[in-house]
Amino acid sequence: MNERILTAPTGSCRILTDARLEDLKALAQGRRVVVVTDANVFAAQGHRLAGFDVIQVGLGESNKTLATVEGLYEAFLERELDRSSLIIGVGGGIVCDITGFAASTYMRGLRFGLVPTTLLAQVDAAIGGKNGVNFHRYKNMVGVIRQPSFVLVDPTTLATLPIREIRCGLAEVVKSAAIADRELFEWLELEGERVEALEPEALARAAAGAVAVKARIVQEDEEETGVRMLLNLGHTLGHALEQTLAPGSVTHGEAVAMGMVAAARLSVRKLGLPAEDAERIQRLLERLGLPTGVGAEQTRTALQSIRQDKKRRGTQIHWILLESIGKGRVSPLELADTEDLLLGEGE
Ligand code: GLY
């Protein structure tokens, strides 16, 4: 097991990588513990949670709601949890977000830990302290920032994940490398297939690399007023594609991969990123089985939706671009200019 501490204004988080679910007992330290999970994770990992009081929330994004959080409050009340209790979320990003939000708000905040069981959650959703739920059609509209006491990353929980889910996490690993860790990027170019093949040693290296990037950035800027924005590389267009393509046709990671390639193309035009580096990003994503091409019509529709994006400041969008591989930069660009460049009509 490896440990790193993320220290931020809302708390300190022990990030334990290459750990095992069985280590939870020691982390509970005699506290009253409630585990929150969902039916899929319980089916795959429930036998490793023997002895814990487990609450299941409904599956999927449609349950990432205040109603689910209210259900958890009821369960906490029934169990007479108090400020010495510990809530542990075991699952993907949705379970981690719901658990973090319920724990952070119940009795003005109980201690909580997270055990992310997807690669995406291990490298992204569980790290950083943002917890929340969707409200109406808006994702993560209601939430708080509060660091978990610990995040336990057990790579063996990934063994039952579909490959498409693994790739979703790999897109975020590539993102972390592209914005802040050239060495990790070069390692992925050499060894990426070993990660996709779920070789434990390679998975642990990839997860630890991405976690280190995110922890470093969050530590510096928990509130996302500056450097933390870099973690949105590929997400401006990515979110818009997720919203505008046929429901279920694209995963978050796939959309981010397409968004990263578009951002790399913009970076060549706007920041002088060498064209060869943009091609390397595209090649790496493709080798990892991720889609990179977006048609003109899809781009146009996605850009329409960006007009309402929360990152918009007046007529400008805060794009995350790359000066080089391993060095991201927040770049405000005029929306119209971006459209011309992405649709191939620019200078
Ligand atoms: N919990 C995800 C984040 O803080 O970015």
Side-chain angles (χ1 to χ4, degrees), residues 23-323:
D23 298 323
L24 275 184
K25 291 237 156 58
L27 289 164
Q29 287 169 337
R31 288 171 186 276
R32 176 77 201 275
V33 175
V34 167
V35 169
V36 179
T37 190
D38 67 24
N40 285 350
V41 175
F42 192 72
Q45 306 294 343
H47 61 286
R48 302 175 71 188
L49 295 169
F52 284 108
D53 178 8
V54 179
I55 303 172
Q56 293 188 35
V57 293
L59 286 169
E61 193 74 32
S62 62
N63 284 296
K64 195 175 158 182
T65 58
L66 286 171
T68 300
V69 171
E70 206 177 324
L72 286 176
Y73 294 156
E74 300 278 1
F76 297 166
L77 196 62
E78 259 170 39
R79 287 164 172 77
E80 299 181 358
L81 298 192
D82 61 30
R83 294 192 49 79
S84 67
S85 308
L86 174 68
I87 317 292
I88 304 177
V90 181
I94 294 169
V95 167
C96 290
D97 276 7
I98 295 170
T99 306
F101 182 63
S104 297
T105 45
Y106 189 73
M107 297 182 86
R108 298 197 191 90
L110 300 186
R111 287 162 62 96
F112 70 101
L114 299 175
V115 184
T117 56
T118 63
L119 185 60
L120 180 62
Q122 291 181 353
V123 299
D124 193 32
I127 312 287
K130 288 185 190 169
N131 315 289
V133 294
N134 304 331
F135 188 67
H136 292 188
R137 67 185 183 86
Y138 300 100
K139 284 188 78 161
N140 301 321
M141 184 55 106
V142 179
V144 295
I145 298 183
R146 192 158 184 272
Q147 294 301 326
S149 302
F150 64 82
V151 175
L152 184 151
V153 177
D154 175 352
T156 69
T157 62
L158 305 180
T160 52
L161 272 195
I163 187 64
R164 204 169 169 200
E165 277 289 329
I166 296 285
R167 289 182 176 137
C168 209
L170 288 177
E172 297 287 350
V173 176
V174 173
K175 175 204 77 179
S176 299
I179 56 169
D181 190 342
R182 188 180 181 92
E183 204 182 301
L184 177 60
F185 190 93
E186 286 168 354
W187 178 83
L188 286 166
E189 287 183 311
L190 290 173
E191 309 280 359
E193 275 99 353
R194 287 180 51 216
V195 186
E196 198 201 9
L198 297 183
E199 278 187 33
E201 201 186 303
L203 263 180
R205 163 78 178 93
V211 163
V213 166
K214 184 154 187 187
R216 213 168 56 227
I217 288 178
V218 169
Q219 188 151 297
E220 200 177 318
D221 176 26
E222 189 184 37
E223 288 279 344
E224 197 173 317
T225 54
V227 71
R228 187 167 179 170
M229 285 189 244
L230 295 180
L231 292 165
N232 292 328
L233 175 69
H235 285 63
T236 304
L237 191 66
H239 278 312
L241 288 168
E242 277 182 282
Q243 275 164 16
T244 53
L245 292 176
S249 65
V250 75
T251 65
H252 176 71
E254 288 166 354
V256 167
M258 294 190 263
M260 271 193 276
V261 172
R265 280 180 46 206
L266 278 179
S267 305
V268 172
R269 309 291 287 271
K270 284 289 175 189
L271 295 188
L273 175 76
E276 162 62 15
D277 284 359
E279 280 157 25
R280 281 172 68 188
I281 292 168
Q282 179 160 354
R283 264 199 312 273
L284 175 58
L285 291 167
E286 283 168 359
R287 275 184 45 215
L288 296 173
L290 287 154
T292 56
V294 195
E297 201 43 53
Q298 293 171 327
T299 306
R300 207 167 276 119
T301 313
L303 288 170
Q304 289 277 14
S305 119
I306 289 178
R307 288 181 188 284
Q308 287 116 37
D309 192 285
K310 63 183 173 187
K311 288 171 209 77
R312 190 178 156 197
R313 308 272 189 280
T315 58
Q316 291 190 325
I317 296 283
H318 281 209
W319 282 84
I320 309 308
L321 301 185
L322 298 170
E323 288 177 22

